[in-house]
């Protein structure tokens, strides 16, 4: 039996600075584990360092590259993440996973909505689908300011194939948004794709407002998927830290449809 | 069968296993490691502590970080026998067997664990438990995981049941042939989830706005003693500790009453009031576990009440939830009175 609680070693093979407090790390597991590694965008890894424990991070690389490597984005938010951000190429991280249920396979037009570093797992969805001719993709990126934006060096490239909307809370973003504002403002003023499936990831406080805008535009709750964050230790629905109602974010999520959330949770658990 | 006739069996177990059993220590019954038959308390009293610390150690080494890698540890492989386990704790063991069904550490430990259950009939105040526990049907043993079960009758005529091939082997070894085989047919009865569990689930599931939780928000001090004492609480954290050769990663009992239980990066805490914490505890036992396993999450041993410094009585809390009028104050408070000394009234 494979021991799901035993961390495997993963070498940092690239480190890309996004801003002062956030780096993306490209990781490669020791052989033969990387060759067998699989994830679906939206699933998460437990990533840690000896002496600092581990925490949940979603993968942001194209899942078709998972035999070679996978990427995670790490923002400094505590002791472990500060320590990870000090590491460099050649250093090791210790990982378990992938765990949970990711975003469903995309079979129709896709809208992705990312708030802050919540854009990380959506990048994996984007990379997996961006070259498809059978669907259209629209992306909304909301962030505090230019300094906290993720993957902005890819924007020019992505714009060749998708509708990209970027909006900042503190300043306009020349070329992409003339006014400052929230991601909900961008959604409200946009012409959304026809009959889309919508994937959202960001701070939980943003979900209620985003869902409201989407429903005003006629998108059904079963077509809106949200990714949730909770404290996690085991990743397998045992340790109880991530429980909401009768579900475990680690096992039943972290991605849930709005319909599922409304059907299964009380208002005091999930306010949508 | 008289006790003297099966004493030999326990003595054989003592010779082959590390045996844990209830012991009467100056009037207080506690589960301890024992070395002789005479130390064991066969009164049927529910011990103050549980067998949990043997089944699921409070601090268990998971992996050792040495020379750049995490390495698996070989769990303590000494065979253990849990002797004199009462029917309620046996029910709790059944829950753990389901919760940790994919946990290699638990499975390895459990594989080498011998279970000898014991019942001295129903305690005098058992009617108190029945208030919220499912009916103790006669066929309850076929849904429990044990090797041998001894049921003491009023006339001191003990009935012996074997629940596994291993149990039979040991009975044969002790030259006991007067026993009944019970075949384990799964944790959940064929007719489905016991009604009592479903009824309690409904009572707790939609009670978040009930006045009782506001009252407990004031009386509960969120110390977490109930979670330690409870035979079905199994929340855990993983913790790293520095070792002279590297780092040891362990798992430790956690408690949903602790402040960092639900906090995430950036400091947000989801269970940020005592009300949310205690509701989470009840919800886990009476809703989440039944939903997940069709099995009771509370075995009604009342240990949580016995250790609670605020005297919160789970029976009374559940009775209050029956109230149609959610905001009506009770005629008597759910906590405080009837505590400890008075509980046998």
């Amino acid at each position: 039996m494979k021991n799901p609680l035993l961390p495997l070693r993963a070498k940092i093979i690239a480190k890309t600075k996004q801003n002062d407090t956030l780096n993306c790390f490209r990781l490669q597991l020791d052989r033969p584990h990387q060759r067998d590694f699989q994830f679906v965008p939206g699933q998460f890894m437990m990533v840690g360092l000896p002496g600092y424990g581990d925490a949940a991070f979603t993968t942001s690389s194209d899942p078709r590259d998972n035999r070679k490597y996978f990427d995670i984005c790490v923002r400094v938010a505590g002791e472990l993440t500060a320590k990870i951000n000090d590491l460099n190429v050649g250093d090791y991280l210790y990982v378990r996973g992938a765990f949970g249920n990711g975003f469903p396979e995309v079979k129709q037009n896709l809208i992705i909505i990312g708030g802050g570093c919540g854009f990380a797992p959506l990048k994996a969805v984007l990379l997996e689908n961006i070259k498809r001719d059978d669907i259209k993709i629209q992306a909304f990126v909301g962030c505090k300011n230019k300094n906290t934006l993720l993957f902005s060096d890819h924007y020019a490239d992505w714009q060749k194939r998708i509708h990209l909307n970027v909006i900042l809370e503190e300043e306009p973003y020349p070329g992409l948004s003339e006014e400052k504002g929230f991601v909900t403002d961008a959604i409200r003023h946009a012409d959304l794709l026809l009959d889309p499936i919508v994937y959202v990831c960001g701070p939980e406080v943003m979900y209620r407002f985003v869902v409201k805008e989407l429903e005003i535009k006629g998108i059904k709750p079963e077509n809106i998927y949200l990714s949730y964050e909770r404290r996690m230790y085991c990743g397998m629905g045992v340790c109880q830290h991530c429980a909401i109602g009768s579900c475990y974010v680690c096992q039943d999520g972290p991605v849930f449809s709005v319909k599922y959330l409304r059907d299964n949770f009380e208002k005091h658990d999930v306010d949508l | 069968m008289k006790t003297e006739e099966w004493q030999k069996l326990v003595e054989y177990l003592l010779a082959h296993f590390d045996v844990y059993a209830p012991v009467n220590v100056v009037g207080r019954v506690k589960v301890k490691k024992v070395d002789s038959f005479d130390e064991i308390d066969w009164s049927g009293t529910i011990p103050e502590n549980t067998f949990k610390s043997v089944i699921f150690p409070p601090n268990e080494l998971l992996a050792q970080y040495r020379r750049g890698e995490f390495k698996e540890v070989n769990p303590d492989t000494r065979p253990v026998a849990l002797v004199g386990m009462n029917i309620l704790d046996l029910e709790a063991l059944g829950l753990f067997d389901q919760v940790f069904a994919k946990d290699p550490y638990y499975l390895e430990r459990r594989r080498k664990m011998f279970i000898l259950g014991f019942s001295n009939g129903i305690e005098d105040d058992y009617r108190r438990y029945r208030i919220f526990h499912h009916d103790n049907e006669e066929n309850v043993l076929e849904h429990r995981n044990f090797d041998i079960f001894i049921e003491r009758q009023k006339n001191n005529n003990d009935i012996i049941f074997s629940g596994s091939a291993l149990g039979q082997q040991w009975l044969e070894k002790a030259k006991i042939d007067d026993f009944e085989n019970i075949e384990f047919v799964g944790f959940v009865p064929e007719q489905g989830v016991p009604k009592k569990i479903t009824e309690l689930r409904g009572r707790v599931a939609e009670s978040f706005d009930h006045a009782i939780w506001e009252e407990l928000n004031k009386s509960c001090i969120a110390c977490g003693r109930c979670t330690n004492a409870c035979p079905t609480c199994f929340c855990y954290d993983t913790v790293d500790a520095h070792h002279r050769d590297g780092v040891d990663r362990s798992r430790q009992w956690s408690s949903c009453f602790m402040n960092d239980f639900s906090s995430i990066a950036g400091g947000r805490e989801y269970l940020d009031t005592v009300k949310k914490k205690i509701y989470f505890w009840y919800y886990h036992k009476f809703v989440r576990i039944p939903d997940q396993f069709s099995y009771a999450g509370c075995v009604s041993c009342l240990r949580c009440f016995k250790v609670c410094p605020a005297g919160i009585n789970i029976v009374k809390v559940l009775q209050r939830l029956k109230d149609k009028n959610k905001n009506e104050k009770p005629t008597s408070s759910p906590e405080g009175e009837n505590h400890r000394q008075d509980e046998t009234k």
Side-chain angles (χ1 to χ4, degrees), chain A residues 1 3 7 9 49-54 94 204 229-231 233-234 238-241 243 245-246 248 268, chain B residues 65 68 72 102 105 208 234-238 240 247 249 254 260-261 263-264 270 280 283-284 288 291-292:
Chain A
M1 179 191 230
N3 183 345
R9 195 167 73 161
L49 283 169
Y52 297 87
D54 50 17
Y94 296 83
E204 196 171 322
E229 181 182 9
R230 284 294 183 278
R231 191 181 190 89
Y233 285 99
C234 70
V238 176
C239 78
Q240 300 300 313
H241 290 268
S246 275
Y248 299 108
H268 60 86
Chain B
Y65 176 76
E72 268 185 299
K102 289 179 186 163
Y105 303 87
F208 187 73
F234 56 81
C235 297
Y236 69 79
D237 299 343
T238 50
D240 284 1
V247 171
R249 178 162 292 176
S254 181
D260 61 354
F261 185 85
S263 60
I264 57 164
Y270 289 91
F280 184 92
Y283 197 95
H284 184 210
R288 192 150 62 240
D291 283 355
Q292 203 176 349

Side-chain angles (χ1 to χ4, degrees), chain B residues 49-231:
Chain B
N49 59 342
T50 61
F51 287 91
K52 182 165 76 173
S53 53
V54 185
I55 301 162
F56 180 57
N59 191 343
E60 176 179 32
L61 191 58
L62 296 179
Q64 290 178 314
Y65 176 76
R66 302 287 186 271
R67 290 183 292 280
E69 279 187 90
F70 275 101
K71 305 216 159 69
E72 268 185 299
V73 288
N74 293 322
D76 187 358
T77 51
R78 288 208 298 185
V80 165
L82 308 184
V83 168
M85 189 184 252
N86 64 64
I87 193 80
L88 304 181
D89 288 350
L90 202 53
E91 186 174 4
L93 176 69
L95 176 67
F96 275 50
D97 283 353
Q98 295 171 83
V99 168
F100 293 103
K102 289 179 186 163
D103 186 297
Y105 303 87
Y106 181 88
L107 292 175
E108 178 62 14
R109 194 166 43 246
R110 188 68 180 83
R111 195 169 65 80
K112 293 181 173 159
M113 201 175 276
F114 190 93
I115 308 294
L116 189 150
F118 179 79
S119 160
N120 196 9
I122 289 164
E123 280 199 74
D124 287 345
D125 59 349
Y126 192 81
R127 60 196 156 75
R128 292 169 57 93
Y129 307 149
R130 230 179 22 211
I131 298 167
F132 69 96
H133 199 254
H134 59 83
D135 300 324
N136 240 359
E137 295 150 14
E138 273 181 39
N139 61 0
V140 68
L141 281 181
E142 65 186 32
H143 305 297
R144 302 287 176 262
N145 237 349
F146 63 92
D147 296 301
I148 295 174
F149 195 89
I150 300 173
E151 189 182 339
R152 177 163 288 174
Q153 306 282 84
K154 284 221 165 81
N155 54 8
N156 201 19
N157 179 19
D158 303 337
I159 305 174
I160 300 195
F161 300 97
S162 128
S164 71
L166 186 67
Q168 279 180 37
Q169 282 169 27
W170 281 91
L171 285 166
E172 280 160 21
K173 220 176 268 189
K175 301 205 163 41
I176 295 170
D177 48 19
D178 183 14
F179 63 87
E180 194 182 312
N181 275 321
I182 293 198
E183 199 185 336
F184 177 68
V185 294
F187 292 108
V188 183
E190 311 76 61
Q191 61 270 32
V193 190
K195 259 189 207 149
K196 203 73 197 176
I197 295 177
T198 315
E199 193 271 316
L200 279 167
R201 187 208 178 277
R203 222 189 281 177
V204 175
E206 279 154 30
S207 70
F208 187 73
D209 296 325
H210 196 290
I212 184 87
W213 304 117
E214 279 301 335
E215 293 162 32
L216 293 170
N217 189 43
K218 296 187 189 100
S219 54
C220 170
I221 58 168
C223 65
R225 287 194 72 187
C226 51
T227 60
N228 270 358
C230 177

Side-chain angles (χ1 to χ4, degrees), chain B residues 253-269:
Chain B
W253 288 3
S254 181
S255 167
C256 51
F257 288 94
M258 299 300 111
N259 278 340
D260 61 354
F261 185 85
S262 63
S263 60
I264 57 164
R268 176 158 183 200
E269 195 189 335

Side-chain angles (χ1 to χ4, degrees), chain B residues 315-326:
Chain B
V315 175
K316 297 205 168 185
V317 171
L318 291 166
Q319 277 176 328
R320 276 289 304 288
L321 292 177
K322 252 185 173 173
D323 296 348
K324 289 274 188 297
N325 188 343
K326 289 185 172 182

